[in-house]
Amino acid sequence: MKTSREEERKLEHLSPFELKNSLIALASESHQHSSRSMLNAGRGNPNWIASTPREAFFTLGLFGIEECKRIKNKESGNAGVPDKNGIGERFELFLDKNQDLPGIQLLKNIYRYGLDVHHFDKDNWAMELAEGIIGNEYPFPVRMLEHTEIIVHDYLMKEMCNEKNTFGNKQFDLFATEGGTAAICYIFNSLIENRLLKKGDTVALGVPAFTPYLEIPELERYEFNVIHINGSAKNKRGESTFQYPETELDKLKNPSIKCFFIINPSNPTSVAMDKISTDYLVDIVNKHNPNLMIITDDVYGTFVPEFQSLLKLLPLNTLCVYSFSKYFGATGWRLGVIALQKENVYDKMLRLLPEEEKKHIKRLYETLTLQPLELKFIDRLVADSRQVALNHTAGLSLPQQIQMMLFAAFALLDKEDYYKKTCTRLINKRYDLLWEGLNLPVIPDSNRAGYYCELDVMEWAIRHQGKEFGEYLEKNYEPVDILFRLAEETSIVLLNGGGFGGPEWSVRVSLANLEDENYRTIGIALNKILKEYVDLWLNKK
């Protein structure tokens, strides 16, 4: 049964991820009454994985168990724990005698990378690998394991900073977290706890944006005054590029804006800031707002060639959040990391707090150190993540950290970027098939990640049929009508771009989670419904 306009009007106020549930129900019902498959392109969970670092993970587990049974091996299943004395030589022997095990060559190369590039002590290095894979100890250091942090730092330098041969100089402190989601929660919490942001403060948010990032600042605990920095730029043909115009970035010149939160490349537009925009932003920060705190979520950066994070361009100001979930097909692993330069504006602003607020902070952390006011912001993040009192049990689980390190090292050692090229080719092929189905040309864009595609129906309508047709759509339909038609008529589920702070009439297609040819099908279905709108309009004229 066709959803009424009144029902659509009510439902469009929901978060896209809640609206999705209604669309799935409609698409499922439609699917049951036809021979069509239901295609849910509403969620960005990738349908690929990085297999080799997972093979290395499970093979490393065999070594860990071997080490434990070497100490004690009871028939009841009770074993000992790894012993550091001579473990480096035993690991080398394990690598040599198990040539045929899956992932063994990657393990060899990672072990040698640690010894040859960073001059790790082989017993300390092998012990971290063994204890990490077994998970028999609490995380220590609580922020991140010593050798793992160095390897992941190298990975971030390569993928987020486009620095391919500068390993060894550790510029950033890292905090391993339970995915990017936890990282964002920890950051907002610590900014409030440490009085760097207060309830009602003015913050900026780059939009369109992942919907939870639109919702978090409005929570009762924060109630920030949010200024939107709109990615509303258009090219000469009048098509959205989703870049930030200078007039939007100029809002950040106002020093009352204390924090700028951005997803780069964005979700849902899946486009990275171009060089013109980043250069302009750097100039604004340096000349007008030098204490601006920047939080950037760069999970999709690995899908953009030669990507450079704001972490590289504005290292004093930037807290970078990176998640391993999308690139490595690891959403279920919950692997994320926060990176902050050793010298940064967050620690600077802590030193400049009024004395009364310093007294509060001193009480907050005085059980951790004799010098609580000297505690770095990133270490406060760790403590706050466990309500301070449980700081000694903080930290991401050791097996998770080891899998994170294996992912990072796998990409680092892939000198020809075979894995990256495979992932980007896959995404680009799906993007092309979608637009082929839409019967529209693909516009080249070197800043496109392509993980998602956002199509602005109103922009399409006015460009192809004129302003009068656009006015007809607005008068007769809700912006989400096309989503309900897709679900009811074709069993296809997409998300509404308006729910991400994007154009109201836009739709988001995830290019990550369906088979390649499904995207041509989605494009054809979208094109068919767009033509139906045109036919209805022409018949009424």
Side-chain angles (χ1 to χ4, degrees):
M1 187 177 70
K2 175 74 175 72
T3 307
S4 71
R5 187 173 184 183
E6 183 60 32
E7 289 174 303
E8 290 178 356
R9 189 177 287 120
K10 291 177 181 177
L11 290 168
E12 68 186 348
H13 293 292
L14 296 174
S15 159
F17 297 101
E18 300 305 321
L19 175 61
K20 169 176 62 68
N21 296 332
S22 297
L23 296 172
I24 288 173
L26 286 171
S28 297
E29 183 178 349
S30 171
H31 160 62
Q32 290 170 5
H33 293 90
S34 72
S35 59
R36 294 186 300 266
S37 298
M38 189 183 83
L39 301 177
N40 181 0
R43 192 162 194 188
N45 196 87
N47 64 350
W48 68 82
I49 66 159
S51 57
T52 306
R54 283 174 165 90
E55 290 174 336
F57 178 87
F58 293 116
T59 292
L60 181 59
L62 296 177
F63 172 71
I65 291 294
E66 187 178 286
E67 279 296 297
C68 294
K69 287 185 173 180
R70 175 182 164 273
I71 302 301
K72 181 173 63 175
N73 186 18
K74 300 288 187 181
E75 290 183 3
S76 62
N78 183 291
V81 296
D83 176 20
K84 188 168 80 170
N85 186 33
I87 195 172
E89 289 187 7
R90 294 194 298 276
F91 187 48
E92 291 171 4
L93 182 62
F94 173 86
L95 294 171
D96 288 339
K97 74 178 184 180
N98 291 287
Q99 301 283 347
D100 296 330
L101 287 179
I104 197 74
Q105 190 58 50
L106 178 59
L107 276 181
K108 277 187 177 183
N109 293 341
I110 291 171
Y111 178 68
R112 290 309 317 175
Y113 180 87
L115 299 183
D116 298 340
V117 176
H118 291 289
H119 310 293
F120 293 161
D121 175 87
K122 66 181 183 180
D123 282 347
N124 289 337
W125 181 209
M127 186 66 172
E128 181 170 301
L129 294 172
E131 282 193 328
I133 201 70
I134 293 301
N136 62 289
E137 288 284 352
Y138 287 108
F140 185 81
V142 289
R143 183 160 53 77
M144 198 166 185
L145 295 174
E146 179 184 354
H147 303 86
T148 293
E149 181 179 6
I150 291 170
I151 303 292
V152 174
H153 184 281
D154 286 353
Y155 170 75
L156 294 179
M157 291 298 293
K158 179 190 178 200
E159 298 294 351
M160 298 293 100
C161 301
N162 199 29
E163 295 280 352
K164 296 183 173 60
N165 297 297
T166 57
F167 308 136
N169 180 22
K170 191 165 172 295
Q171 184 178 349
F172 306 107
D173 287 325
L174 307 185
F175 171 25
T177 64
E178 302 89 341
T181 304
I184 293 299
C185 293
Y186 294 158
I187 288 168
F188 273 104
N189 178 60
S190 284
L191 289 172
I192 288 286
E193 288 288 355
N194 286 278
R195 307 298 200 259
L196 294 180
L197 285 179
K198 298 176 185 174
K199 194 172 184 177
D201 274 351
T202 300
V203 302
L205 174 65
V207 294
F210 184 46
T211 49
Y213 299 162
L214 293 168
E215 297 161 5
I216 288 173
E218 297 180 359
L219 294 175
E220 184 179 359
R221 186 175 186 211
Y222 306 116
E223 292 183 350
F224 294 137
N225 173 36
V226 181
I227 305 297
H228 286 173
I229 310 298
N230 295 286
S232 53
K234 296 182 182 294
N235 60 24
K236 293 179 181 178
R237 293 180 295 273
E239 299 157 330
S240 296
T241 64
F242 302 111
Q243 294 296 333
Y244 301 102
E246 290 184 359
T247 51
E248 289 295 311
L249 292 173
D250 280 340
K251 297 174 183 177
L252 298 171
K253 291 179 179 178
N254 185 347
S256 69
I257 295 179
K258 295 185 176 182
C259 181
F260 176 37
F261 183 71
I262 183 173
I263 307 165
N264 184 33
S266 179
N267 175 6
T269 66
S270 209
V271 174
M273 289 183 74
D274 62 20
K275 190 174 186 304
I276 294 173
S277 298
T278 54
D279 286 350
Y280 195 73
L281 176 59
V282 168
D283 191 64
I284 285 174
V285 172
N286 290 337
K287 292 181 180 177
H288 302 280
N289 201 352
N291 293 327
L292 180 68
M293 296 178 288
I294 298 174
I295 302 164
T296 180
D297 181 344
D298 293 348
V299 59
Y300 305 105
T302 41
F303 297 95
V304 176
E306 309 299 320
F307 176 74
Q308 284 197 335
S309 168
L310 295 176
L311 183 69
K312 167 71 179 297
L313 303 172
L314 285 165
L316 286 172
N317 301 76
T318 302
L319 260 175
C320 177
V321 173
Y322 178 75
S323 167
F324 290 74
S325 61
K326 303 301 196 295
Y327 190 48
F328 297 100
T331 55
W333 259 112
R334 314 310 297 142
L335 304 178
V337 66
I338 300 171
L340 181 62
Q341 185 173 255
K342 292 179 180 294
E343 295 296 325
N344 59 79
V345 73
Y346 301 83
D347 288 330
K348 172 188 172 184
M349 298 304 291
L350 286 172
R351 292 192 293 269
L352 295 176
L353 285 174
E355 289 303 317
E356 275 303 308
E357 293 182 350
K358 285 184 179 178
K359 287 180 182 177
H360 158 80
I361 291 169
K362 184 178 180 181
R363 288 193 299 272
L364 188 62
Y365 301 110
E366 64 186 3
T367 59
L368 304 184
T369 171
L370 297 177
Q371 303 294 331
L373 295 180
E374 295 178 13
L375 194 66
K376 295 188 296 185
F377 182 69
I378 197 161
D379 291 319
R380 300 180 191 207
L381 278 169
V382 181
D384 295 336
S385 76
R386 297 297 184 268
Q387 300 289 295
V388 182
L390 291 168
N391 180 67
H392 64 289
T393 59
L396 185 65
S397 79
L398 300 194
Q400 285 174 284
Q401 292 198 48
I402 293 300
Q403 182 68 90
M404 182 190 295
M405 182 275 295
L406 292 172
F407 283 144
F410 168 65
L412 273 172
L413 295 169
D414 184 4
K415 300 298 184 184
E416 301 301 321
D417 281 336
Y418 290 122
Y419 181 78
K420 179 187 284 285
K421 290 171 184 174
T422 300
C423 291
T424 53
R425 274 197 302 267
L426 178 66
I427 288 292
N428 290 332
K429 179 183 179 182
R430 293 174 179 180
Y431 190 95
D432 291 347
L433 287 169
L434 175 68
W435 285 80
E436 182 181 310
L438 280 162
N439 198 26
L440 292 172
V442 173
I443 308 301
D445 186 350
S446 61
N447 299 295
R448 181 186 297 128
Y451 197 88
Y452 303 108
C453 175
E454 186 168 33
L455 175 69
D456 189 339
V457 173
M458 186 58 67
E459 182 182 292
W460 174 92
I462 293 172
R463 190 168 74 248
H464 290 271
Q465 300 295 332
K467 187 177 179 181
E468 185 182 348
F469 177 54
E471 291 171 348
Y472 162 81
L473 286 178
E474 287 189 318
K475 182 179 179 181
N476 291 278
Y477 304 98
E478 291 303 305
V480 296
D481 183 73
I482 191 169
L483 299 181
F484 284 91
R485 286 176 182 251
L486 280 169
E488 291 163 345
E489 297 175 18
T490 68
S491 304
I492 290 171
V493 176
L494 306 181
L495 296 188
N496 55 317
F500 292 82
E504 280 193 353
W505 286 81
S506 63
V507 297
R508 190 197 80 163
V509 185
S510 167
L511 298 167
N513 65 322
L514 298 174
E515 296 304 316
D516 298 357
E517 282 299 319
N518 293 151
Y519 291 99
R520 193 201 311 270
T521 302
I522 291 171
I524 291 170
L526 273 167
N527 189 46
K528 177 177 176 291
I529 290 176
L530 291 172
K531 286 182 176 178
E532 287 176 2
Y533 286 128
V534 174
D535 291 341
L536 288 167
W537 171 60
L538 291 174
N539 289 335
K540 285 191 175 183
K541 288 184 72 173

